[in-house]
Amino acid sequence: MRTAPTILHLDMDAFYASAEQASKPSLRGKAVIVGGLGPRGVVATASYEARVFGVHSAMPMAQARRLAPNAAYLTPRFMFYRAISDQVMGLLRNLSPLVEPLSLDEAFVDLEAGDAAWDEESARLAGARLRADIRAVTGLTGSVGLAASKMLAKIASEQAKPDGLVLIEPGTERALLGPMSVRILPGVGPATGDHLRRAGITTVEEIVEAGEDEVVRLLGKAHGHGLYAMALARDDRAVVAERDTKSVSVEDTYDVDIHDRVRVRMEVQRLADRCVRRLRGAGLSGRTIVLKVRRYDFSTLTRSETLRGPTDDPSVVREAAARLLEAVDTTGGVRLLGVGVSGLADYTQEDLFAQAAGEPAPVEEETADAEVSPVEETVGRERHWSAGHDVRHAEYGPGWVQGSGLGRVTVRFETPHDREPGRVRTFRTDDPALEPAEPLPLVRDAVRG
């Protein structure tokens, strides 16, 4: 393990919720919860104001509503978050060629590889400069951890939250880790934590005191040796700039179980098209088509079919997914469907099947993931507007949807650059003057990373 604290871990603070607060003046300083708003929805991100009530990520949305009934509940705008993430990742790549993104809002950076830091002072300056650049470009805040290893840098960024910077000085790692819960170590989840607790081990120092042999006896060789090394603050994992994509997939969970077989087939076709759009967007093709079905009783079935060569032809993927569906009993109802492609390659093989001969079927450009579209056409052509999404009115200008129902949609007209909350007005859901809109930038004239 290196001796200088030149591994940086960045974690954007309550990313989705903070982005929503920054774009909506009326929500600043208030409890904001982003996630699926249906009966089976879960919390994606909760603002710090919402966390005071006990709301946290991955919590069922129904439970969050009981804990914080007066919070603002919004559906995610993933394309908006991805655009901000691209800006942040650009700033990180300005620091070093070795950037390892973990998600839209989290990444490791090897500062030494980019000659951005070589000792404690230069690392601290690089971290402070990064935080300032993120605020200037995106208007949001991120917490930075600096240490000599990935594990410690991530622990440092957790300690820095929110909107802070923590550097773990070399030589202090063991003293820092000792009193911490074993759950702080990578790979120690609830099951492993409970197993260690039953053996009388609850802190990192108690792992060290137990000795390597005992830890291996409790957890096995593969897990035990690695965990004991981390308890001693040894972590030699390198920052990896590129991760090979093993598969591309999409899936949807439905608020109400689908029983109609025709509807199930239509959903599978739609998911196949979305999957191909992602596949093409990444410049990839694949040989194995995968269908995932979670039934009414929570049993999950996975079926796959391997083609003779890689393809990105939507008709081929649709037909393969349809064949896989025929072998699955959906009589009792379906709560989740997914379509994926694996066995990826960066080329395609034409004319795999006779039924796919001729010109490939056109694929519409993908504009959104599930729950991203601000308005969806529903039965009877009535428009359903998603809470939190951007709109524009011919007379009142840009705003966002506060809520909708019973043929009405309520809009608050404000922009990220307003100092005061905007006015609220209600319209018919089919008002021709109201249209979906692109998100406005959080910072005027921000330089994209």
Side-chain angles (χ1 to χ4, degrees):
M1 190 175 76
R2 67 186 71 194
T3 57
T6 53
I7 299 295
L8 181 149
H9 181 261
L10 171 71
D11 198 347
M12 298 295 289
D13 299 320
F15 182 44
Y16 297 171
S18 294
E20 297 296 348
Q21 289 176 316
S23 68
K24 300 172 171 64
S26 58
L27 298 184
R28 292 169 190 169
K30 297 183 179 179
V32 174
I33 298 169
V34 180
L37 302 188
R40 294 172 179 163
V42 297
V43 175
T45 307
S47 69
Y48 286 99
E49 295 85 353
R51 296 180 191 186
V52 172
F53 298 99
V55 180
H56 57 77
S57 300
M59 172 182 286
M61 191 62 77
Q63 183 180 356
R65 288 186 184 276
R66 289 193 295 270
L67 293 172
N70 297 319
Y73 288 86
L74 308 176
T75 55
R77 296 186 292 163
F78 289 117
M79 298 302 285
F80 176 52
Y81 309 144
R82 187 173 291 117
I84 300 172
S85 175
D86 288 345
Q87 292 177 306
V88 173
M89 296 302 166
L91 294 173
L92 298 182
R93 293 186 178 97
N94 288 340
L95 288 175
S96 172
L98 290 184
V99 176
E100 183 178 340
L102 304 179
S103 62
L104 290 179
D105 60 343
E106 185 180 4
F108 286 110
V109 184
D110 187 330
L111 296 175
E112 190 173 17
D115 201 28
W118 48 90
D119 59 13
E120 292 181 34
E121 182 179 0
S122 58
R124 194 180 295 275
L125 287 172
R129 186 169 60 249
L130 172 65
R131 292 180 59 240
D133 288 345
I134 289 173
R135 184 184 288 274
V137 170
T138 70
L140 304 179
T141 64
S143 295
V144 167
L146 294 156
S149 71
K150 290 168 71 171
M151 176 185 72
L152 292 166
K154 184 173 176 61
I155 291 172
S157 69
E158 286 296 320
Q159 293 183 325
K161 281 186 167 294
D163 191 21
L165 183 152
V166 168
L167 182 148
I168 298 177
E169 298 179 2
T172 66
E173 298 94 343
R174 287 282 304 277
L176 174 74
L177 284 176
M180 290 185 173
S181 166
V182 294
R183 291 290 302 277
I184 200 71
L185 299 177
V188 180
T192 302
D194 287 344
H195 191 60
L196 291 170
R197 179 181 54 78
R198 288 193 295 270
I201 298 173
T202 59
T203 67
V204 175
E205 185 58 35
E206 286 170 345
I207 290 178
V208 177
E209 291 172 352
E212 187 170 13
D213 291 343
E214 176 64 9
V215 176
V216 169
R217 186 188 70 80
L218 288 169
L219 303 178
K221 288 184 179 180
H223 198 15
H225 288 301
L227 188 63
Y228 185 76
M230 288 187 176
L232 294 173
R234 297 175 187 163
D235 178 17
D236 295 326
R237 293 174 301 162
V239 175
V240 180
E242 297 294 337
R243 292 178 177 267
D244 292 334
T245 302
K246 296 182 179 180
S247 65
V248 173
S249 63
V250 296
E251 62 181 42
D252 276 346
T253 300
Y254 304 98
D255 292 341
V256 179
D257 290 349
I258 302 176
H259 293 83
D260 182 0
R261 183 73 175 183
V262 174
R263 167 82 188 283
V264 172
R265 291 194 191 101
M266 291 176 61
E267 289 296 314
V268 168
Q269 298 295 290
R270 184 180 61 82
L271 289 166
D273 286 343
R274 277 178 54 199
C275 184
V276 170
R277 288 195 288 267
R278 286 191 176 182
L279 197 68
R280 287 185 170 185
L284 297 170
S285 60
R287 296 184 64 226
T288 301
I289 314 304
V290 181
L291 175 71
K292 178 180 177 181
V293 179
R294 181 166 296 149
R295 299 187 292 188
Y296 68 98
D297 59 357
F298 287 87
S299 62
T300 302
L301 303 177
T302 303
R303 299 288 184 266
S304 64
E305 175 181 313
T306 299
L307 310 177
R308 293 183 299 209
T311 184
D312 65 352
D313 187 326
S315 62
V316 173
V317 177
R318 283 197 298 265
E319 289 163 9
R323 285 193 297 274
L324 293 170
L325 178 62
E326 291 306 311
V328 177
D329 180 12
T330 62
T331 306
V334 170
R335 60 185 293 118
L336 177 147
L337 289 168
V339 174
V341 177
S342 61
L344 302 182
D346 57 2
Y347 65 95
T348 61
Q349 180 172 314
E350 302 297 338
D351 301 321
L352 293 176
F353 300 101
Q355 69 266 29
E359 291 297 318
V363 177
E364 299 178 2
E365 181 180 355
E366 182 171 20
T367 57
D369 292 329
E371 290 191 310
V372 175
S373 176
V375 59
E376 300 172 352
E377 295 294 336
T378 58
V379 178
R381 305 188 67 82
E382 179 185 350
R383 296 192 294 179
H384 170 73
W385 300 85
S386 296
H389 287 248
D390 300 275
V391 295
R392 178 176 288 275
H393 191 274
E395 180 179 353
Y396 301 108
W400 58 277
V401 177
Q402 278 201 325
S404 64
L406 301 177
R408 298 285 178 177
V409 55
T410 301
V411 177
R412 185 180 288 274
F413 291 98
E414 60 186 5
T415 75
H417 316 303
D418 294 336
R419 294 186 177 182
E420 300 294 332
R423 292 184 176 181
V424 176
R425 294 186 181 274
T426 299
F427 308 92
R428 298 192 318 272
T429 55
D430 60 353
D431 190 324
L434 189 65
E435 296 293 340
E438 292 295 320
L440 296 174
L442 298 182
V443 177
R444 286 193 177 101
D445 303 321
V447 178
R448 292 183 179 271

